[in-house]
Amino acid sequence: MILNDTTTPRGDFEAETGWKLTAAGACKGTVCVPLADPTAAAQEVVNAIELAEAIGLPVAHNNEHGIWAVGPESIGARALVTAEDAEFELPDLDGNLFRLSSLRGQKVLVYAWAPY
């Protein structure tokens, strides 16, 4: 999940991360993580960074560009809840948009490289 602000609509947070905000906390499948602020489930706009950190999602911030990246979860920093990768879309060498989900069901190695 890429953000330009620390807050986001609750529905966007749920759709992008797969975590549903409920009265029991943040839940994904059979896993529920209690939240310090139980009112978050009722809010239309949530602090995505605080929620991500509470759930155990990795968060990276780029000050220069003013963006945050929220990664897939690792409960207790030990195991993923799912081996399903986050959805993303990037242009290929011809400029056509490529969606990672088009490879669903296949083994995929994602290699990231930066020239710095």
Side-chain angles (χ1 to χ4, degrees):
M1 174 177 208
I2 306 296
L3 300 163
N4 294 319
D5 190 357
T6 59
T7 60
T8 190
R10 183 184 73 237
D12 289 355
F13 180 85
E14 292 176 337
E16 293 286 330
T17 65
W19 287 85
K20 302 295 178 204
L21 302 178
T22 70
C27 299
K28 187 171 190 178
T30 60
V31 176
C32 282
V33 177
L35 299 174
D37 179 7
T39 65
Q43 297 173 5
E44 290 300 317
V45 176
V46 296
N47 186 315
I49 304 308
E50 286 179 4
L51 282 172
E53 290 172 346
I55 297 168
L57 303 178
V59 175
H61 179 234
N62 182 302
N63 286 326
E64 181 180 348
H65 298 289
I67 59 173
W68 288 261
V70 174
E73 67 278 341
S74 61
I75 302 298
R78 295 196 179 134
L80 296 174
V81 172
T82 174
E84 194 171 295
D85 201 352
E87 173 65 277
F88 61 87
E89 182 177 84
L90 295 170
D92 65 14
L93 294 174
D94 297 322
N96 301 313
L97 290 179
F98 172 81
R99 294 181 68 89
L100 183 63
S101 62
S102 69
L103 301 174
R104 193 160 318 271
Q106 301 177 47
K107 291 182 181 180
V108 177
L109 171 68
V110 177
Y111 178 77
W113 176 80
Y116 52 84

